[in-house]
Amino acid sequence: MLTKKEIEELIDNQNSSLKIVKPTVTQKSSDVWNFFSHIYVNDVKQEYVMCNKCRVLLIYKHSSGTHSLSKHIRYCQNTTTTAMVSEVQTNIKQYYEHSKNESYIPNRTKQEIRAACTEFVIFDSRSFKTIGGKGFKNLAQKFFNAGRYLPVTREINIENLLPTPTTVSRYIDQLYDEKHKQLVSICQNLISYTIVVDFWKDSFTGIQYCEISLHHTSNDWKLQCFVLGCYPYDLESHSAINTRKFVESKLSDFGLKLNDSIYVVSDNETKMIATFKSNCQRIGCAVHYINKQLEHGFNKEEIDKLPVACDAVQNVFDCVKKIVAHIKKSQKQTKLSKRVQTYSETRFNGAYHMLRIFFEIFDELTMVLDGVNLNQYFLLDKDLLEQICLFLKVFDEVIEQLSYDKRPTIYKVLPLRQRLLNECKIQDNDHIGLQKLKQFLSSRIQTKLVLHDVHFVSTFLHPSFKQFQIAPNEKQKAIDLVKAEIVKCQSSATSEPSVIDINSSSSTKSSTTPKSQQLKATTTTQNILAQCFDSPTEGEDPLAVPSPGQELMEYIALNDILQLDDDVLMFWKNNQNKFPILSSIVADIYSIPASNTTVERLFSSAGNTISNRRTNLNPDKVNKLLFLNKNLLLLKELDRQQLVNAQKKRKLSAMSTSSSSSSNNVYTHDEQEPLSSTLSSSTTKKIRTFDNDLFSDEDIINKDTDISIEDDEQE
């Protein structure tokens, strides 16, 4: 039995497996069956019926009767009659707000807007998703708001309201200059941050771009990510010296520079390794490592002069690719229940989705294949294909976890790396082809996905990983590295090297620990990261691990385990007074992303910006467009917060001034009354209201986020 949504998708796609059959009406049948049809999928009768008039799906079970269907018939007939009348005569309710529904919109208005949006997509050759985009919705809202203030007695020529393309282009320059200055002012106050760098070549223009993003932890313990730019690379050669020079010149525009305490995240190509080998701390992209090893296992016969020896898996992969390409070209996928997905070489994790969908429709493929492709199909080992899909699913989930950019990810690298190594252990029921793939990947992950000190420290400083139950052999190394970081922080604070006596009696005492929090079993057990969490422990002896100070001892003794959806930065924000040194370390290293996904996503936006219709777009304009595309909303939100904070300060200042003036205006019955008390109560109330409530929160948001129509007209 399919769900309503699944059946609707089959109807939209006109799938051949779906049949709509009118029931046979007899004298004993209910009259409602003259208005409905049954739904069959693969000759299986579903628990939904379709109204012949409005094409709506309704659930129907023999045990529940036809009462709900009868109600729908009455509603459907009334709606049809009302619609016929409204096409001839305008209803007065269309011009006034509905009393029972504040968001009431007349059907005629909806139909006109739907038609206009459809024509917009057709005439301007735009994607269907354009209608759901933030920019389009914001534009439509501004048009609606403008209509509230324009005269209703005459028709408005929209060309007088819309700015010209030249005006929009100039306003982009103006907006970029404004937001660029705002970001520069933010960067000037940063001490600790991470830089992510990658290069990309446009296929239409042949111009190579350097994309740089900035990551840091704000004062309110939020992870902030800004795109500094997508710059056209204009130096003569792509040597490591020139690449480093180019990146540093762009960072200097924001007052940023690289040094031994600044982290740089990049892919693991030879040029990037050479570019950032000194005067910074380079961290390789973990997702790039994993994708590369998977690509080698499925595509390469030899790597580093050693045989890959994954012939069986590679044969399956090549065969699936050819069959999928044939189905795409022959336009036969309309006969299948799911659309096949091609493999993209830019990101190997897309291979998993190609294999998974192919396996799900495996039994249907005989309907669309013939000749050579059918012979290849019969040679496929379905059991091996299934085992490959299950094996790659874990890799896909790990890549997804490491690709987040809204929350910290650096602490996930060590546990998820170990999770992959555990997955590569050979099982008794594994196909011989899968066994060889596991052996290859296990060896490559251990040798190529190298862990840095920051991976050990960040994992230990996550409360759900500090016991290292996923990788117990790495626990002591992590603790030693955290000790060294604490000593380094204390030395820099006192400007003199300091040594902590780990055997002192003060360091062996621990504070009372809070009760352990229970994990959400319904959500975490199905999540790849939650499988790496430490299990809650009670009564563990903190003295089992030597510690360089009381703060570290108290953290080790802490028995809190974060739930899967909890923000680890909020945990350290709430405990920064209890663990001041450890929290400062977290603020520095948790801004390091586990991958360069931020700039990878920028590649996609750049591909949408530089299309075959915009090949003459100036590279500097491309940089401005992408800068605003990625930063505008965040910078507006920071502006809004600044205005709100300023308003709160004015209120507090006004309250303190009012209280001080009241205390100074104490007088006896014989003394002269102060001037402020001679004002009427209503006048005093008006002055206080104007001073304290100059802008409401809603007004501040509107003033901050809106681009006024008057400004456009002046442009």
Side-chain angles (χ1 to χ4, degrees):
M1 293 298 174
L2 302 183
T3 63
K4 182 178 181 181
K5 184 177 181 180
E6 292 172 336
I7 296 175
E8 289 175 343
E9 290 178 354
L10 294 178
I11 295 174
D12 294 338
N13 298 329
Q14 298 181 355
N15 194 283
S16 59
S17 63
L18 178 126
K19 295 181 181 179
I20 302 174
V21 181
K22 291 186 177 181
T24 302
V25 180
T26 64
Q27 294 180 352
K28 296 182 179 180
S29 303
S30 173
D31 293 337
V32 299
W33 293 114
N34 293 316
F35 302 91
F36 292 94
S37 298
H38 291 297
I39 303 294
Y40 288 84
V41 178
N42 292 326
D43 296 329
V44 177
K45 188 176 181 180
Q46 303 296 310
E47 294 182 341
Y48 286 91
V49 295
M50 175 184 286
C51 176
N52 298 333
K53 184 172 293 187
C54 65
R55 312 292 288 179
V56 169
L57 292 181
L58 298 175
I59 191 170
Y60 168 73
K61 295 181 180 180
H62 182 73
S63 58
S64 58
T66 59
H67 178 69
S68 60
L69 304 184
S70 301
K71 288 179 61 178
H72 176 79
I73 293 172
R74 293 193 297 270
Y75 169 79
C76 190
Q77 290 177 342
N78 293 336
T79 304
T80 305
T81 304
T82 304
M84 293 174 61
V85 173
S86 62
E87 292 178 359
V88 180
Q89 182 178 358
T90 303
N91 194 324
I92 192 171
K93 292 182 179 179
Q94 296 182 7
Y95 297 99
Y96 294 94
E97 188 175 24
H98 199 274
S99 58
K100 296 183 179 180
N101 187 359
E102 296 180 356
S103 60
Y104 173 75
I105 300 176
N107 288 331
R108 173 181 288 186
T109 303
K110 288 185 177 181
Q111 292 172 1
E112 292 176 352
I113 292 176
R114 180 182 61 192
C117 289
T118 305
E119 292 174 358
F120 162 73
V121 170
I122 294 172
F123 294 146
D124 292 359
S125 301
R126 298 302 176 188
S127 167
F128 300 147
K129 293 183 179 180
T130 303
I131 306 301
K134 294 180 181 178
F136 184 85
K137 290 181 179 178
N138 181 61
L139 176 64
Q141 186 66 51
K142 293 298 177 288
F143 282 146
F144 181 82
N145 293 342
R148 297 164 59 186
Y149 301 103
L150 296 175
V152 297
T153 56
R154 62 179 182 179
E155 184 176 351
I156 301 297
N157 186 355
I158 195 63
E159 293 185 358
N160 296 330
L161 184 64
L162 290 174
T164 65
T166 303
T167 300
V168 173
S169 179
R170 291 175 179 172
Y171 190 72
I172 287 174
D173 296 337
Q174 176 185 338
L175 188 60
Y176 172 81
D177 293 338
E178 175 188 340
K179 295 305 175 182
H180 184 273
K181 291 179 181 178
Q182 181 183 354
L183 184 54
V184 169
S185 64
I186 293 174
C187 293
Q188 289 176 347
N189 298 323
L190 298 181
I191 300 176
S192 176
Y193 48 86
T194 300
I195 301 297
V196 180
V197 181
D198 205 351
F199 285 81
W200 166 75
K201 187 175 183 179
D202 175 42
S203 58
F204 290 107
T205 62
I207 299 175
Q208 188 163 22
Y209 290 88
C210 175
E211 300 179 345
I212 307 174
S213 65
L214 170 73
H215 304 249
H216 79 101
T217 305
S218 64
N219 294 331
D220 57 350
W221 289 86
K222 292 182 179 179
L223 186 63
Q224 292 184 344
C225 170
F226 297 100
V227 170
L228 299 184
C230 181
Y231 305 102
Y233 187 83
D234 53 4
L235 299 185
E236 295 181 358
S237 68
H238 295 277
S239 64
I241 296 176
N242 281 347
T243 303
R244 179 66 176 257
K245 178 181 177 181
F246 183 86
V247 172
E248 289 183 338
S249 67
K250 300 307 178 184
L251 293 178
S252 64
D253 293 341
F254 294 87
L256 305 173
K257 61 181 181 179
L258 299 179
N259 55 54
D260 292 334
S261 62
I262 300 301
Y263 290 92
V264 176
V265 177
S266 71
D267 61 31
N268 310 297
E269 300 297 340
T270 305
K271 183 183 75 173
M272 302 303 289
I273 295 175
T275 300
F276 302 106
K277 67 179 180 180
S278 62
N279 200 27
C280 66
Q281 300 190 50
R282 194 194 77 86
I283 305 295
C285 171
V287 172
H288 186 262
Y289 278 120
I290 297 172
N291 272 312
K292 276 297 180 183
Q293 305 321 310
L294 287 172
E295 183 181 354
H296 296 332
F298 281 84
N299 288 325
K300 299 287 187 179
E301 295 182 1
E302 182 180 285
I303 187 70
D304 295 340
K305 297 182 179 181
L306 295 174
V308 175
C310 297
D311 297 340
V313 171
Q314 291 182 3
N315 289 336
V316 170
F317 184 65
D318 292 338
C319 186
V320 171
K321 280 199 301 182
K322 292 177 181 178
I323 295 176
V324 168
H326 168 73
I327 295 174
K328 281 281 189 179
K329 292 179 181 179
S330 61
Q331 299 296 321
K332 293 181 179 180
Q333 57 187 358
T334 54
K335 299 180 181 180
L336 301 172
S337 60
K338 291 188 177 181
R339 298 177 66 87
V340 294
Q341 180 170 327
T342 54
Y343 155 66
S344 175
E345 295 182 357
T346 56
R347 281 289 185 180
F348 188 83
N349 57 312
Y352 161 70
H353 301 285
M354 178 187 71
L355 294 171
R356 177 181 57 82
I357 294 176
F358 187 90
F359 175 75
E360 291 176 355
I361 61 174
F362 189 86
D363 296 331
E364 304 176 26
L365 295 174
T366 54
M367 300 185 301
V368 298
L369 297 179
D370 53 16
V372 177
N373 293 288
L374 188 60
N375 293 334
Q376 288 184 336
Y377 168 79
F378 286 126
L379 292 176
L380 281 173
D381 189 334
K382 186 178 180 181
D383 292 336
L384 176 57
L385 177 61
E386 181 179 12
Q387 290 189 18
I388 293 174
C389 291
L390 293 175
F391 178 67
L392 290 182
K393 181 180 180 181
V394 177
F395 282 79
D396 184 69
E397 292 175 356
V398 168
I399 290 172
E400 182 180 358
Q401 282 287 337
L402 296 176
S403 300
Y404 291 162
D405 57 1
K406 302 298 183 183
R407 287 190 177 184
T409 54
I410 188 64
Y411 67 86
K412 301 179 181 181
V413 176
L414 189 151
L416 291 179
R417 173 183 181 271
Q418 186 60 45
R419 178 66 179 83
L420 292 179
L421 291 175
N422 294 343
E423 190 67 22
C424 289
K425 293 180 180 179
I426 297 176
Q427 305 296 328
D428 295 336
N429 59 343
D430 284 344
H431 191 283
I432 184 64
L434 183 62
Q435 290 181 14
K436 292 183 178 180
L437 177 64
K438 286 185 174 182
Q439 291 174 352
F440 171 78
L441 289 176
S442 177
S443 174
R444 298 291 296 183
I445 291 174
Q446 291 184 64
T447 56
K448 295 299 180 180
L449 185 48
V450 180
L451 296 175
H452 299 268
D453 291 348
V454 70
H455 293 130
F456 292 89
V457 174
S458 61
T459 302
F460 179 78
L461 292 179
H462 191 289
S464 297
F465 291 117
K466 68 173 183 288
Q467 301 302 337
F468 277 73
Q469 293 180 6
I470 186 68
N473 295 333
E474 311 291 356
K475 181 177 180 179
Q476 188 57 49
K477 179 178 180 179
I479 293 175
D480 293 339
L481 289 171
V482 173
K483 292 178 187 177
E485 288 294 325
I486 292 177
V487 172
K488 187 190 300 183
C489 290
Q490 291 183 337
S491 300
S492 60
T494 59
S495 300
E496 294 180 3
S498 61
V499 179
I500 301 177
D501 183 7
I502 63 174
N503 297 320
S504 63
S505 59
S506 62
S507 65
T508 61
K509 297 179 182 179
S510 61
S511 62
T512 304
T513 60
K515 295 181 179 180
S516 61
Q517 300 177 4
Q518 298 297 323
L519 298 178
K520 294 180 180 178
T522 56
T523 58
T524 60
T525 54
Q526 303 299 324
N527 186 280
I528 191 71
L529 183 65
Q531 296 174 13
C532 306
F533 276 10
D534 298 330
S535 300
T537 58
E538 295 185 5
E540 180 173 325
D541 183 9
L543 301 181
V545 182
S547 170
Q550 182 69 21
E551 184 174 330
L552 181 58
M553 290 297 295
E554 291 183 358
Y555 173 69
I556 294 174
L558 191 68
N559 206 21
D560 281 3
I561 294 182
L562 299 186
Q563 296 177 346
L564 187 63
D565 296 331
D566 289 343
D567 188 350
V568 64
L569 290 180
M570 290 300 100
F571 167 84
W572 285 105
K573 177 182 180 181
N574 298 331
N575 290 275
Q576 60 181 330
N577 293 330
K578 186 176 182 180
F579 307 117
I581 299 178
L582 294 179
S583 62
S584 66
I585 297 174
V586 168
D588 289 341
I589 67 174
Y590 268 44
S591 64
I592 306 172
S595 68
N596 62 350
T597 309
T598 306
V599 291
E600 290 284 352
R601 292 194 177 107
L602 192 60
F603 295 162
S604 300
S605 299
N608 296 331
T609 302
I610 311 172
S611 63
N612 56 352
R613 300 176 62 182
R614 306 179 76 182
T615 54
N616 291 329
L617 195 62
N618 189 291
D620 291 334
K621 186 72 72 175
V622 173
N623 175 46
K624 294 177 180 179
L625 288 169
L626 293 176
F627 177 91
L628 295 172
N629 178 271
K630 297 299 180 181
N631 298 329
L632 186 58
L633 291 180
L634 179 56
L635 291 174
K636 279 188 171 185
E637 175 63 20
L638 294 178
D639 269 345
R640 188 193 70 82
Q641 292 178 359
Q642 187 175 4
L643 287 173
V644 171
N645 293 335
Q647 183 193 23
K648 291 180 179 179
K649 289 182 180 180
R650 289 198 301 269
K651 287 184 177 181
L652 293 175
S653 176
M655 292 174 62
S656 61
T657 303
S658 176
S659 61
S660 61
S661 62
S662 299
S663 60
N664 293 333
N665 289 334
V666 177
Y667 56 92
T668 62
H669 192 71
D670 296 333
E671 292 174 336
Q672 186 179 2
E673 186 176 358
L675 178 62
S676 60
S677 63
T678 61
L679 298 175
S680 66
S681 59
S682 60
T683 305
T684 306
K685 183 176 181 181
K686 289 181 180 179
I687 293 176
R688 184 169 60 252
T689 302
F690 179 79
D691 181 64
N692 293 347
D693 298 325
L694 185 59
F695 296 110
S696 65
D697 290 346
E698 183 179 358
D699 291 334
I700 291 176
I701 294 174
N702 291 336
K703 287 179 179 293
D704 177 51
T705 58
D706 293 356
I707 300 173
S708 66
I709 299 169
E710 296 178 357
D711 291 340
D712 283 340
E713 292 176 342
Q714 291 175 0
E715 285 285 326

